[in-house]
Amino acid sequence: MGDPLSAMSTIIDGAQVASGVRDDLGEAIETLADHGVSPGLATVLVGDDPASETYVNMKQRDCEEVGVNGVHVDLDGDASPAELYETIEELNTDPEIHGYLVQDPVPEQIEYGEVIRRISPEKDVDGFHPENVARLVARDARFKPCTPHGIQKLFEAYDIDTEGADVTIVGRSSIVGKPMANLLMQKSVDGNATVTVCHSRTTDLAEKTRRADIVIAACGVTELIDGSMLSVGTTVIDVGISRVEADTEKGYELVGDVDFESASEKASAITPVPGGVGPMTRAMLLYNTVMAASESEGVPVELP
Ligand code: GUN
């Protein structure tokens, strides 16, 4: 007998929603092709962090699948800041590259903030450049950062209404927590939420997660959030994806910030890891690339 207060969770299938986004982008890519435009996305990786290598490989594979011109630039782990800046300058002026990103983290001799400031804001498909952050906050977003945007798409796909919802975000990163909070508090149909942002100095985290209608875990602490910290009927979005040593073929398994088993006994809907948020992040990167190509080439397209 299960707990009478437990809910049957809907597993939010990010891979499926992402596939739909990619299909829809295919039409925009055809429109661009009709005007002789092939959207170009470059990824830059400094060093050989295995997780980062996997991520950029997946991003490049996505490009191939949808017909985006993917270019990858690999720099040695001991590359100087000047070498990276030179690559950035080349990408800023390359007419075939409409968007690019420098995979984070970078080695310690390089300051990521300085890297971001050098990326042309028009090509900053991550949406990390200060100009793009300011535009997002001012409700005039050029590029919505990919993970928060992907989560909004998941809400849309699963009819999860954020209007008036209490949303607790665990994590205050520039990549996820902060832009997510901003988007969800905005006066818009996919916002209008009351947002609480928690972090490593938050006291009584469980009190903040228990009172939420939606919990977004994005702190990189494996299985920090468990079922005891959730109320029945909560929507749980797990952004975490840590490699944990395990007796598997690869020698590791991917673990989120949420203890899926206990959380799914309380949640009305929950994202798995992998297969939840990750595929959406990548789909929205393609979305931003297509948008960048459309804007810079002056070819209007319909975006999903
Ligand atoms: N590292 C982890 N996530 C991201 C991302 O969305 N963009 C970049 N550039 N690096 C990352």
Side-chain angles (χ1 to χ4, degrees):
M1 274 275 279
D3 175 350
L5 289 178
S6 74
M8 264 294 279
S9 287
T10 297
I11 312 279
I12 297 177
D13 189 343
Q16 189 187 36
V17 180
S19 165
V21 171
R22 285 197 300 271
D23 286 349
D24 292 344
L25 283 175
E27 290 179 31
I29 292 167
E30 272 179 34
T31 306
L32 289 169
D34 291 343
H35 292 80
V37 174
S38 170
L41 172 71
T43 52
V44 180
L45 179 62
V46 190
D48 54 7
D49 175 67
S52 293
E53 275 178 353
T54 305
Y55 295 141
V56 294
N57 286 341
M58 288 196 287
K59 289 169 185 179
Q60 288 296 335
R61 209 173 336 126
D62 290 341
C63 286
E64 246 173 70
E65 192 187 312
V66 299
V68 163
N69 176 27
V71 172
H72 181 63
V73 182
D74 244 333
L75 294 181
D76 278 348
D78 59 2
S80 66
E83 280 173 82
L84 177 57
Y85 300 159
E86 199 181 317
T87 298
I88 287 175
E89 200 40 49
E90 279 166 20
L91 293 170
N92 281 344
T93 52
D94 186 336
E96 293 194 350
I97 297 299
H98 299 96
Y100 71 96
L101 61 91
V102 177
Q103 189 69 23
D104 187 40
V106 289
E108 61 186 11
Q109 72 275 16
I110 291 164
E111 204 251 299
Y112 196 64
E114 180 59 26
V115 170
I116 295 301
R117 285 188 288 278
R118 286 171 183 261
I119 295 176
S120 163
E122 289 82 11
K123 296 191 177 189
D124 166 39
V125 281
D126 267 331
F128 295 168
H129 188 283
E131 180 182 309
N132 289 326
V133 174
R135 284 187 58 165
L136 180 87
V137 174
R139 276 196 71 200
D140 178 31
R142 179 190 272 129
F143 301 115
K144 286 189 186 181
C146 303
T147 301
H149 194 187
I151 292 170
Q152 286 189 306
K153 289 281 177 198
L154 288 178
F155 290 154
E156 190 185 323
Y158 282 83
D159 282 329
I160 294 163
D161 199 359
T162 57
E163 169 102 26
D166 283 309
V167 180
T168 294
I169 299 171
V170 185
R172 54 181 160 183
S173 70
S174 300
I175 297 185
V176 185
K178 277 189 277 188
M180 186 81 261
N182 240 296
L183 286 168
L184 288 174
M185 74 169 81
Q186 284 181 3
K187 196 169 187 174
S188 62
V189 286
D190 50 5
N192 285 333
T194 303
V195 180
T196 302
V197 181
C198 300
H199 46 74
S200 52
R201 300 290 192 277
T202 294
T203 54
D204 202 353
L205 175 63
E207 184 264 320
K208 276 86 177 169
T209 51
R210 274 190 209 117
R211 71 173 187 221
D213 303 302
I214 299 172
V215 170
I216 300 174
C219 56
V221 181
T222 54
E223 298 182 335
L224 177 70
I225 313 292
D226 66 24
S228 74
M229 300 168 71
L230 301 168
S231 296
V232 171
T234 309
T235 293
V236 180
I237 304 294
D238 190 353
V239 182
I241 186 156
S242 303
R243 286 183 176 203
V244 173
E245 224 174 277
D247 191 15
T248 61
E249 202 178 311
K250 290 181 172 163
Y252 66 85
E253 60 184 3
L254 298 172
V255 180
D257 292 350
V258 175
D259 171 39
F260 185 85
E261 205 177 315
S262 63
S264 59
E265 285 174 11
K266 293 285 192 67
S268 55
I270 184 166
T271 59
V273 175
V277 173
M280 292 305 297
T281 298
R282 282 158 36 215
M284 302 327 287
L285 179 65
L286 297 171
Y287 177 108
N288 282 348
T289 303
V290 171
M291 191 164 83
S294 159
E295 289 285 325
S296 69
E297 302 283 353
V299 179
V301 295
E302 222 170 286
L303 288 165

